[in-house]
Amino acid sequence: MYKFVDDLNEHQRAAVTASPHSAVLVLAGPGTGKTKVITARVAYLLLHHKLPPQDVVVATFTKKAANEMVERLAVLLQPYPQIDAKKLLIGTFHSICVRILRKYGGLVGLNAGFKIADETDAKQLIKKVLRVMAESGLDVSLKDSDVKKYRAYISACKNKAQLPDQVPVSKKAGDTSIKLEVYTLYQEELARNNVIDFDDCLLLVHRLLAHHPSCMGRVKHVLVDEFQDTNKVQLELVYQLSGFNENYKHNVTAVGDPDQSIYAFRNAEAENFYRMEDYYRQKGVPVLKVALTQNYRSTSNILTLAEHLMNQQFARREQKYLRAHKKDDIPVQMFACATNKAEASTIAATIKQVVKPNGTQYSDIAILLRSGFLSRVIEQELIHANLPYQVVHGRSFWERREIRLLMDYLRAVASDMDWLGYSRCLDFQVSGLGAKSLLLLEEQLSAQRARNQPGNVYVMLESIARDGMKGITAKARAGIGEFVALIKKARELLLSDATEQQQLEKIFDHIVQHSRVVSVVNEERMDRKGDSQEEIEANLNELKNQLISFNLQEEDLLQDAYAEEDELEVAEQSFDLTASTSLEKLTQFLDSVYLYEETKIAEKTVSKVTITTVHGSKGLEWPVVFVPSLCEGIFPSQHATNDVGDTTKNEAALDEERRCMYVAVTRAKERLYLSYFRETLGFGFGDPVKRKSRFLNLPKGLVKVADTSVASTPNLLSSFQRNIKLNTGSLALGSGFQTASRLTGVSRLPDGAVKISKPRKKRLGMGRPLRFTKK
DNA sequence: AAGGCCACACTTTTT
DNA sequence: GTGTGGCCTT
């Protein structure tokens, strides 16, 4: 029939060829061909059942997964050029929702040109709310930890589809009422700034579809990957998206594995699998459950260990018994180390042993960590051993000062209403303008809104530059004038007679030239870091490349305009939003960045060891995997081991940690190395004395306890390390590598060190979100 | 408003 | 050990 169907095993085929008029639930253990099944299912729906691609929604968990699926589909569908898979509505839940909101957001009260508030924005706004509340005499603290608490509370509410007025009144009224007040005021702040947070992306579409289900009425099938990671709102979005089209009602395919649910902290509910089953059975929709148990990835040794782990779960769990396809021979190894440093050097030494010229490459190796900060010591030792590595840890690049600032400028160019972005630009650029003036400007904006004007920041600034304003000094006024001129010029470039790429490039250069971002950020860093101007410029250059090489999404995906679209209230901008495709591209670029989507980065050809978190490793595989720092309090995390006085909660937390461990070990194809240490060196987290993780209490025979004498042998002093020692003369003692391996930037390696290992521009480590190399 | 100094948090994972 | 933010002074 179709080759891609013939290539499947019996269970996979059952899932792929199941009737589209049903709910198909695929329980897919690690390495059982989950992606293969979901891609084949999409292809089958398009080819065999002739569904138009633009009517099929595929929600994945990460952008990476979406990309991979698109690529694989392109291969499957190559013999069928009549199918245009590019038209699929595919992406993360968040990005799909933002695309829907860009079109229909007006129906749920959004302004055109809304922006997405990242976590920093969100916390800033909460803090502001708290400050106002404190000033009015309420007993609230402004501590960071409290801000976090409120942030988590708000997120939890939103993930349960509860807006402030929908939060059920709880028994413990006192506490809740403050939280609710914060939540309410926070929502007002978001609206005032014309931004929505991550959770709103989902929640607003949820509300949109509740009131205007026909918006997405043409959807004919909904497929969801990593279904165990969905939260309540996402589950309901699936119901909504697939619930309107009469002829294709409840046509859903969900793929996932409850054992790999590791996002409960983000309000994911693995039970959604069972909920969905019940929901559809009650509706009389045929439900087909398929379990995939043939594992194509790992050796039986690894799978046996994984299964043993999961049998320790407190919660009830369906036994899975994955069958290994591969023959096993290499035992899982475990080493006990005296210190975290010794553990790291043991890993380095082992990597040296394992890598062979025509065999295992550096890129075949991954080190999977429970938390990001653990990479510090490991990076140090890998550098000392002169081993190439990359830390794949998405956001650090985007959190750099110069990048955030440039992004704020770009936001200002793209929108008139984005006070959050504008205020940070002003604060940065305009000397003589500080907190107090910003407050004045904000009041002025509110006054405008009170008179039912949209609160156009750009227009307001323009008039202040022209006519002045009470309370704004002449100096500040002049600065505002310069800033307005900058934005104005940038917008003129948008309309210039040049290609999109040239326009964006010019805008970028214009901002860099006139904003003094480079020199100011450089000065800010001067006192401690020494010369980093090159570095800042290199980062900005990288941002520029990302911007100009960004691919515009074909927006006819959401065409088929819905009748009520006319109701869309487009708030007035001072420039014509529709005039320029560059502006559209800019807006989409900003969306994609704030949605944490992976952006295209030039593929690095050098083979490197990958260091990443367990969460970041999901869905990936390597021939050789290290899972270090298996100590009580680290893995499982303190969070789960601390007695909270509630057995159920403790057990649930430990179960999640164990699933985390399960995900980690099942990434390995051939060799798996587990390790722990007894003492933490350096400034520490909790008690420096550590105990072996409970996850390492394995029956004899499952692991081979390896010789760790290598760790204490000081034979790892490479010429590289000696060079470093020679070059540390000019550095403040101890600052070098500590800083170097901070998650915020190996890029900040002291000059000496970087120059030795690589040419300066090819910095070690991360500092930018790298792509995983294809296996 | 800007710059300097001190206290304190950082250690869960991320769309 | 380092970065941030708050509070102080100028």
Side-chain angles (χ1 to χ4, degrees):
Chain A
M1 180 160 43
Y2 301 104
K3 176 155 189 313
F4 64 83
V5 174
D6 297 337
D7 288 348
L8 302 167
N9 72 32
E10 183 194 343
H11 298 291
Q12 292 171 331
R13 194 176 310 127
V16 167
T17 58
S19 160
H21 298 288
S22 58
V24 180
L25 299 177
V26 184
L27 286 146
T32 55
K34 177 176 67 95
T35 311
K36 194 173 186 182
V37 165
I38 198 164
T39 356
R41 174 90 172 143
V42 172
Y44 192 77
L45 290 170
L46 300 185
L47 276 170
H48 190 77
H49 294 289
K50 311 258 187 293
L51 297 190
Q54 61 270 27
D55 296 350
V56 175
V57 176
V58 187
T60 62
F61 192 64
T62 62
K63 181 69 189 227
K64 214 185 307 156
N67 287 342
E68 191 186 344
M69 217 169 281
V70 169
E71 276 169 36
R72 288 223 210 166
L73 270 170
V75 175
L76 289 194
L77 293 171
Q78 206 186 2
Y80 314 94
Q82 72 274 23
I83 308 277
D84 187 0
K86 285 202 195 70
K87 290 192 169 163
L88 287 165
L89 193 41
I90 183 169
T92 61
F93 270 103
H94 289 80
S95 75
I96 290 173
C97 285
V98 168
R99 281 152 79 184
I100 294 172
L101 290 174
R102 285 264 168 248
K103 187 147 189 87
Y104 300 117
L107 295 173
V108 284
L110 276 183
N111 276 319
F114 68 87
K115 293 277 169 301
I116 295 148
D118 64 14
E119 280 311 292
T120 316
D121 294 329
K123 286 191 187 124
Q124 233 171 58
L125 291 178
I126 289 174
K127 202 155 193 177
K128 190 170 154 202
V129 164
L130 290 173
R131 206 172 286 131
V132 172
M133 288 171 72
E135 273 162 18
S136 67
L138 278 161
D139 182 28
V140 290
S141 100
L142 300 177
K143 278 194 303 189
D144 268 8
S145 54
D146 287 296
V147 173
K148 266 193 182 166
K149 231 171 50 197
Y150 289 114
R151 175 73 193 117
Y153 169 77
I154 292 169
S155 193
C157 289
K158 288 186 174 180
N159 291 161
K160 282 182 282 184
Q162 293 165 353
L163 283 165
D165 55 333
Q166 295 162 313
V167 175
V169 189
S170 155
K171 306 96 217 167
K172 33 181 185 174
D175 189 33
T176 316
S177 72
I178 295 260
K179 282 187 191 161
L180 252 184
E181 178 74 4
V182 177
Y183 185 8
T184 311
L185 294 173
Y186 168 73
Q187 284 308 99
E188 287 171 13
E189 278 298 324
L190 288 175
R192 198 166 298 142
N193 287 288
N194 197 29
V195 293
I196 63 175
D197 69 18
F198 284 138
D199 305 317
D200 287 340
C201 301
L202 307 177
L203 193 48
L204 285 169
V205 172
H206 184 263
R207 211 167 51 176
L208 171 76
L209 295 180
H211 297 290
H212 310 274
S214 59
C215 279
M216 298 299 290
R218 29 178 274 238
V219 172
K220 298 196 170 72
H221 204 101
V222 178
L223 298 100
V224 191
D225 192 15
E226 306 280 17
F227 192 71
Q228 75 283 354
D229 290 328
T230 52
N231 61 33
K232 182 175 184 233
V233 174
Q234 287 164 327
L235 174 66
E236 289 181 7
L237 279 171
V238 174
Y239 294 160
Q240 288 175 324
L241 285 167
S242 62
F244 188 77
N245 193 321
E246 272 310 321
N247 298 322
Y248 298 88
K249 212 166 178 164
H250 310 312
N251 291 188
V252 170
T253 304
V255 183
D257 179 7
D259 286 347
Q260 293 181 69
S261 151
I262 52 174
Y263 285 99
F265 71 94
R266 220 169 57 192
N267 308 302
E269 302 179 14
E271 302 79 32
N272 280 350
F273 253 116
Y274 311 110
R275 295 208 179 103
M276 180 182 258
E277 187 182 349
D278 291 345
Y279 177 86
Y280 284 128
R281 284 204 198 283
Q282 273 174 24
K283 290 203 172 296
V285 178
V287 176
L288 176 68
K289 273 173 84 178
V290 182
L292 306 179
T293 51
Q294 179 67 58
N295 177 297
Y296 297 95
R297 179 185 295 153
S298 311
T299 63
S300 62
N301 279 339
I302 293 166
L303 290 182
T304 311
L305 187 146
E307 190 65 25
H308 175 83
L309 264 173
M310 290 312 284
N311 284 335
Q312 318 287 310
Q313 290 294 72
F314 293 107
R316 189 183 56 88
R317 162 180 177 265
E318 282 174 41
Q319 283 270 338
K320 212 156 38 178
Y321 296 121
L322 291 174
R323 278 169 296 137
H325 189 65
K326 282 187 187 171
K327 273 268 152 196
D328 125 32
D329 326 277
I330 315 155
V332 175
Q333 297 207 46
M334 174 171 90
F335 26 78
C337 304
T339 65
N340 51 345
K341 197 163 180 285
E343 181 184 50
S345 55
T346 305
I347 292 173
T350 311
I351 290 174
K352 288 198 160 177
Q353 283 169 16
V354 167
V355 172
K356 302 269 157 60
N358 291 317
T360 305
Q361 302 297 300
Y362 290 123
S363 57
D364 292 331
I365 301 174
I367 303 170
L368 307 184
L369 307 168
R370 177 62 183 85
S371 353
F373 77 98
L374 294 164
S375 73
R376 176 193 286 192
V377 185
I378 296 180
E379 282 185 73
Q380 279 179 26
E381 293 303 315
L382 293 192
I383 290 172
H384 285 209
N386 206 11
L387 293 169
Y389 69 91
Q390 59 180 8
V391 179
V392 184
H393 199 274
R395 295 305 295 174
S396 51
F397 174 75
W398 300 100
E399 270 148 21
R400 303 184 67 94
R401 173 103 163 119
E402 64 271 23
I403 299 300
R404 287 190 67 92
L405 278 167
L406 238 291
M407 292 292 290
D408 284 333
Y409 277 95
L410 292 172
R411 275 162 72 160
V413 172
S415 167
D416 275 358
M417 251 73 67
D418 178 17
W419 172 244
L420 225 50
Y422 271 97
S423 62
R424 280 194 298 247
C425 291
L426 291 171
D427 188 36
F428 172 79
Q429 176 172 339
V430 180
S431 96
L433 184 148
K436 215 160 188 181
S437 307
L438 283 175
L439 213 66
L440 274 177
L441 295 181
E442 214 185 329
E443 276 166 18
Q444 167 106 349
L445 267 182
S446 323
Q448 281 186 18
R449 284 198 205 93
R451 292 197 303 271
N452 246 350
Q453 288 161 355
N456 188 311
V457 187
Y458 179 81
V459 170
M460 178 184 80
L461 293 177
E462 216 174 20
S463 85
I464 293 172
R466 199 176 48 236
D467 310 326
M469 179 181 158
K470 206 182 153 216
I472 301 293
T473 60
K475 194 178 167 197
R477 180 179 158 190
I480 291 175
E482 279 173 38
F483 174 72
V484 170
L486 191 162
I487 300 297
K488 191 171 179 199
K489 181 75 207 289
R491 287 179 176 176
E492 281 166 21
L493 290 169
L494 272 180
L495 303 172
S496 71
D497 188 21
T499 67
E500 248 169 55
Q501 239 183 32
Q502 289 166 337
Q503 287 181 3
L504 291 171
E505 189 168 1
K506 278 187 186 156
I507 289 173
F508 196 94
D509 292 340
H510 178 73
I511 295 174
V512 172
Q513 269 169 36
H514 293 88
S515 64
R516 306 182 357 261
V517 166
V518 175
S519 59
V520 176
V521 174
N522 189 30
E523 270 167 41
E524 283 174 359
R525 286 185 179 155
M526 263 317 206
D527 37 347
R528 30 194 142 188
K529 297 278 149 38
D531 152 43
S532 62
Q533 174 148 352
E534 252 180 70
E535 172 97 47
I536 296 169
E537 278 166 0
N539 285 328
L540 288 177
N541 218 24
E542 177 69 35
L543 178 63
K544 179 163 112 180
N545 287 337
Q546 297 221 12
L547 170 63
I548 59 185
S549 64
F550 182 76
N551 287 326
L552 193 67
Q553 285 273 354
E554 287 182 45
E555 268 314 319
D556 62 321
L557 300 170
L558 287 175
Q559 246 167 26
D560 251 5
Y562 160 62
E564 284 179 58
E565 197 194 345
D566 298 337
E567 289 174 21
L568 240 177
E569 279 175 43
V570 180
E572 206 159 319
Q573 295 259 2
S574 63
F575 60 105
D576 185 1
L577 263 172
T578 56
S580 154
T581 52
S582 301
L583 179 63
E584 204 182 325
K585 188 162 160 178
L586 181 57
T587 303
Q588 277 192 19
F589 176 73
L590 294 171
D591 280 352
S592 79
V593 169
Y594 286 109
L595 285 173
Y596 286 54
E597 282 185 8
E598 193 196 346
T599 23
K600 217 173 50 190
I601 299 262
E603 199 81 30
K604 296 272 178 346
T605 43
V606 196
S607 171
K608 290 173 181 168
V609 173
T610 297
I611 303 177
T612 189
T613 60
V614 177
H615 287 79
S617 76
K618 197 144 139 205
L620 299 164
E621 59 180 30
W622 292 267
V624 181
V625 168
F626 291 85
V627 186
S629 310
L630 285 158
C631 311
E632 284 290 296
I634 297 178
F635 203 166
S637 149
Q638 247 178 5
H639 211 69
T641 53
N642 284 347
D643 191 353
V644 293
D646 178 339
T647 319
T648 327
K649 273 193 185 154
N650 267 110
E651 290 185 348
L654 277 168
D655 276 354
E656 172 132 330
E657 293 294 313
R658 203 175 284 102
R659 289 192 296 267
C660 232
M661 177 75 179
Y662 179 73
V663 169
V665 300
T666 53
R667 298 310 94 198
K669 294 164 88 168
E670 287 147 28
R671 290 168 186 266
L672 174 63
Y673 296 90
L674 308 175
S675 58
Y676 70 99
F677 55 84
R678 297 198 186 82
E679 194 188 346
T680 314
L681 296 180
F683 92 103
F685 37 96
D687 189 353
V689 180
K690 296 292 177 197
R691 281 189 1 256
K692 179 167 139 184
S693 167
R694 70 192 71 193
F695 300 153
L696 288 178
N697 292 333
L698 299 162
K700 271 212 155 72
L702 272 189
V703 290
K704 181 182 158 204
V705 179
D707 176 23
T708 55
S709 57
V710 64
S712 50
T713 319
N715 62 350
L716 293 169
L717 265 186
S718 61
S719 62
F720 173 70
Q721 190 184 14
R722 283 196 299 277
N723 277 334
I724 286 167
K725 288 197 166 167
L726 288 174
N727 279 280
T728 27
S730 60
L731 291 167
L733 235 170
S735 70
F737 280 113
Q738 296 296 344
T739 319
S741 39
R742 292 286 305 177
L743 281 174
T744 40
V746 163
S747 46
R748 275 179 240 154
L749 270 170
D751 290 352
V754 177
K755 273 176 193 157
I756 301 159
S757 59
K758 304 257 150 156
R760 191 184 160 82
K761 291 216 170 96
K762 290 188 187 161
R763 301 166 323 205
L764 273 178
M766 80 254 121
R768 42 181 92 180
L770 290 156
R771 279 162 75 100
F772 285 95
T773 37
K774 278 271 153 47
K775 301 293 123 41

